[in-house]
Amino acid sequence: MARVCQITGKRPQVGNNVSHANNKTKRRFYPNLQKKRFYLPEEDKWITLKVSTKAIKTINKHGITAVLKEAKANGNLVL
């Protein structure tokens, strides 16, 4: 599976390694993804999502149900 957050849609970004001599070579900045299980009380089941740490903080703040609804509306959620 790709390195994409299932809630926020964060993806790897491209940038440069810059040496002391100012030589530039391409590199990738990866999002901090974690595999995490969440409990859905409405459906009485557990789901496993690959989410960024920012998404985990958002889920803690707003709740899993509201965040899943918003992610489906944005088209980010892939289950």
Side-chain angles (χ1 to χ4, degrees):
M1 193 172 171
R3 294 179 183 168
V4 179
C5 176
Q6 291 180 300
I7 299 296
T8 61
K10 285 183 175 224
R11 299 177 165 273
Q13 294 182 327
V14 179
N16 287 314
N17 276 329
V18 181
S19 70
H20 185 68
N22 208 28
N23 297 329
K24 295 171 184 73
T25 57
K26 286 293 185 185
R27 61 159 293 185
R28 297 184 83 187
F29 294 93
Y30 294 106
N32 187 5
L33 296 181
Q34 309 293 324
K35 226 175 195 182
K36 183 110 171 77
R37 288 176 69 216
F38 297 99
Y39 180 70
L40 296 175
E42 296 81 18
E43 300 178 24
D44 193 36
K45 69 176 186 178
W46 290 88
I47 59 169
T48 302
L49 296 174
K50 190 188 270 191
V51 292
S52 64
T53 52
K54 182 175 180 177
I56 293 172
K57 289 173 72 172
T58 304
I59 291 168
N60 288 340
K61 184 175 182 180
H62 299 292
I64 185 70
T65 307
V67 173
L68 284 176
K69 186 189 290 186
E70 187 178 339
K72 283 180 186 174
N74 292 341
N76 291 334
L77 187 63
V78 179
L79 289 177

